[in-house]
Amino acid sequence: MSAIDIIDRRQELAVDCLIIGAGAAGLVAALSAIEQGESVLVLERDAVPQGSTALSAGLIPAAGTRWQAALGIDDSPARFAADILHKAHDEPDPALVQLVTTTIGPTLEWLADRHQLPFSLVDNFSYPGHSRYRMHGLPSRAGRELIDRLRAAAEAAGIDILCAAHATTLLVDPTQRIIGVRFVRPDGTTDEIGCGRLILACSGYGGNPALVARHIPDMASATYFGHVGNQGDALVWGEQLGAATRDLGGHQGHGSVAHPAGILISWATITEGGFQVNARGERFSNEASGYSEQAANVLAQPDGVAWTIFDARIAGIAAQFEDFRNALAHGAVLEADNVASLAAAMRVPADVLTATCDEVREAKAQQRVDRFGRSFAGVPQLAPSYRAVKVTGALFHTQGGLVIDDRARVVRRDGGVTDNLFAAGGAACGVSGADASGYLSGNGLLTAVALGRVAGLSR
């Protein structure tokens, strides 16, 4: 249970900057803080740093980068900010949106130059809501590579990462200024470490069923595809300290997790011309709105599952992602030379699936908006051989959280700040608004990396 302990003594062992959480937010913060000359320690509850970052595709959106310029892509932080606000119905704090969109590009270039992370731009398919190609990733296009490279960079920089250390209690003085953290080791013993300042980088509350039921009741029964350690510690600590919170219903869902394999299926399967049907072979929504809000649509179907239909060309695009290659190896992706054979493999009515495919083909041929509101203008036709994968909807991570200022300091409900308490990534309120529909692809890692950089530099 996350707790606050008021004490009037100082810890014998202390660091300038203490960070809870060794995901992307925490490690970027650590790399930034140590460059400022601070002594840094990162506490990580797992035996090895991984967290939500390792479960992601590892793609970070940024605008105005050198990788975009090299491909002749005209983009800017202002355009990126406009896309974020449009997707989230103008709900996020515009100042926070401006902060992360102006910070992220230089941060990626810093990670590439100073720490040798070999980013490149995904330029062969678009993500919903982005008006330009702006997803940057590492060669494997996998979050595990991102976290592994960040960890290696931290180790090379001399940053201490204490693993299997579960932070349970924030230590504060009588004025409620943070002075340290108490943590528990796997054998049940406890230790304390003091700090000059504390950065909460321990993500959101997606792994806490009680908090999910309270704040996102529609996803209470959804598969949780995030990290089990996301228990809402930062939220609970913040609320105990009188911190302001915002958009606690905001979250990233995903309507394309292979079932029952539990492997993320790239949304390129949809954006490049694929579509989804339920167990009856019928379409049920505008899949192109976004993968986050599609989670609830999939979960509303019989047995909470759907089938994503695409073709060999799209499979070739998706194969750049390690997750998709894993799904192929797992046998989760079905193949067939014609629709009738595909229907038989899927065990859905062939006549219904054929009619559905014909309807989509006609909408594409006529370049029109269909009955679900999806525009098929400029969307390629599917061609044999066909592919299908059974998927379910899942909750990935929460997007609401602690309100922060332009230095990533936690803001109190009375409008003041605790000047040595910071939040980044899922611990802080993000830029996705109040529900799943506001999530623009990449918002999670955007705020993890950008706010990790801001918090790390804000000594």
Side-chain angles (χ1 to χ4, degrees):
M1 179 68 177
S2 305
I4 303 292
D5 194 356
I6 301 174
I7 60 177
D8 57 5
R9 57 180 169 80
R10 297 287 174 177
Q11 287 66 45
E12 294 182 7
L13 179 62
V15 295
D16 297 326
C17 180
L18 183 61
I19 301 169
I20 300 177
L27 293 179
V28 169
L31 289 166
S32 302
I34 203 167
E35 286 187 2
Q36 300 290 99
E38 291 183 284
S39 57
V40 179
L41 175 65
V42 183
L43 299 179
E44 170 54 50
R45 66 184 293 162
D46 287 345
V48 177
Q50 45 187 356
S52 298
T53 303
L55 297 172
S56 73
L59 298 180
I60 307 166
T65 68
R66 67 181 186 226
W67 296 281
Q68 288 180 311
L71 295 174
I73 296 171
D74 176 27
D75 199 7
S76 69
R79 181 179 287 117
F80 185 13
D83 287 349
I84 288 173
L85 289 168
H86 179 72
K87 187 67 167 67
H89 327 295
D90 291 320
E91 292 173 351
D93 177 3
L96 179 60
V97 175
Q98 181 180 26
L99 177 65
V100 297
T101 53
T102 56
T103 300
I104 192 61
T107 300
L108 294 189
E109 296 190 4
W110 163 72
L111 286 171
D113 295 339
R114 182 69 63 89
H115 300 292
Q116 293 76 56
L117 271 68
F119 289 109
S120 61
L121 191 70
V122 177
D123 65 346
N124 58 353
F125 72 93
S126 298
Y127 281 84
H130 285 282
S131 59
R132 298 289 189 276
Y133 292 129
R134 56 172 70 108
M135 288 294 190
H136 298 71
L138 298 171
S140 69
R141 304 294 194 244
R144 186 165 297 279
E145 181 181 7
L146 176 59
I147 198 67
D148 287 347
R149 287 185 181 271
L150 287 173
R151 184 183 70 243
E155 292 170 349
I159 295 167
D160 291 321
I161 304 172
L162 183 58
C163 293
H166 181 194
T168 59
T169 307
L170 301 194
L171 307 177
V172 302
D173 68 16
T175 69
Q176 290 205 327
R177 181 179 175 83
I178 305 296
I179 59 174
V181 168
R182 182 177 300 130
F183 60 93
V184 179
R185 298 182 182 275
D187 63 2
T189 59
T190 62
D191 283 299
E192 294 180 359
I193 179 78
C195 62
R197 68 189 186 106
L198 176 66
I199 300 175
L200 301 176
C202 43
S203 199
Y205 63 84
N208 186 320
L211 290 177
V212 172
R214 181 186 309 167
H215 298 300
I216 321 173
D218 288 348
M219 298 298 285
S221 62
T223 298
Y224 177 54
F225 204 71
H227 188 261
V228 67
N230 296 348
Q231 291 294 312
D233 295 325
L235 177 62
V236 174
W237 284 321
E239 289 180 328
Q240 290 174 347
L241 289 170
T245 60
R246 181 169 173 170
D247 293 339
L248 293 182
H251 64 281
Q252 183 212 342
H254 208 295
S256 190
V257 174
H259 179 78
I263 301 172
L264 179 63
I265 302 298
S266 167
W267 204 241
T269 54
I270 298 297
T271 60
E272 284 298 304
F275 56 91
Q276 290 187 325
V277 300
N278 58 25
R280 297 186 293 267
E282 302 166 337
R283 284 183 64 225
F284 51 88
S285 67
N286 174 5
E287 310 92 338
S289 292
Y291 56 71
S292 183
E293 54 265 54
Q294 190 66 3
N297 293 330
V298 170
L299 289 169
Q301 301 311 300
D303 299 323
V305 298
W307 289 90
T308 299
I309 310 294
F310 52 108
D311 64 8
R313 177 188 64 83
I314 296 174
I317 295 171
Q320 69 185 288
F321 296 99
E322 184 178 3
D323 284 332
F324 189 80
R325 298 194 296 272
N326 290 340
L328 289 172
H330 195 275
V333 182
L334 306 181
E335 302 181 19
D337 291 333
N338 55 66
V339 174
S341 297
L342 189 68
M346 294 165 57
R347 298 183 180 178
V348 303
D351 57 339
V352 178
L353 184 61
T354 297
T356 299
C357 291
D358 289 344
E359 182 180 12
V360 171
R361 185 179 300 109
E362 181 181 346
K364 290 178 178 180
Q366 296 177 0
Q367 306 273 296
R368 63 174 171 83
V369 176
D370 74 356
R371 58 194 172 97
F372 297 104
R374 178 174 178 179
S375 173
F376 282 106
V379 180
Q381 296 282 6
L382 300 186
S385 60
Y386 299 108
R387 305 288 189 272
V389 56
K390 183 186 283 188
V391 298
T392 189
L395 171 63
F396 271 44
H397 54 81
T398 54
Q399 288 286 292
L402 305 177
V403 175
I404 57 171
D405 69 3
D406 60 1
R407 291 175 53 196
R409 296 179 301 179
V410 174
V411 176
R412 298 192 304 267
R413 287 191 292 270
D414 64 10
V417 296
T418 302
D419 65 3
N420 72 335
L421 179 62
F422 300 77
C429 178
V431 293
S432 299
D435 58 37
S437 67
Y439 186 85
L440 184 68
S441 302
N443 272 1
L445 280 175
L446 166 66
T447 54
V449 175
L451 294 179
R453 180 66 167 161
V454 171
L457 294 176
S458 298
R459 55 189 245 176

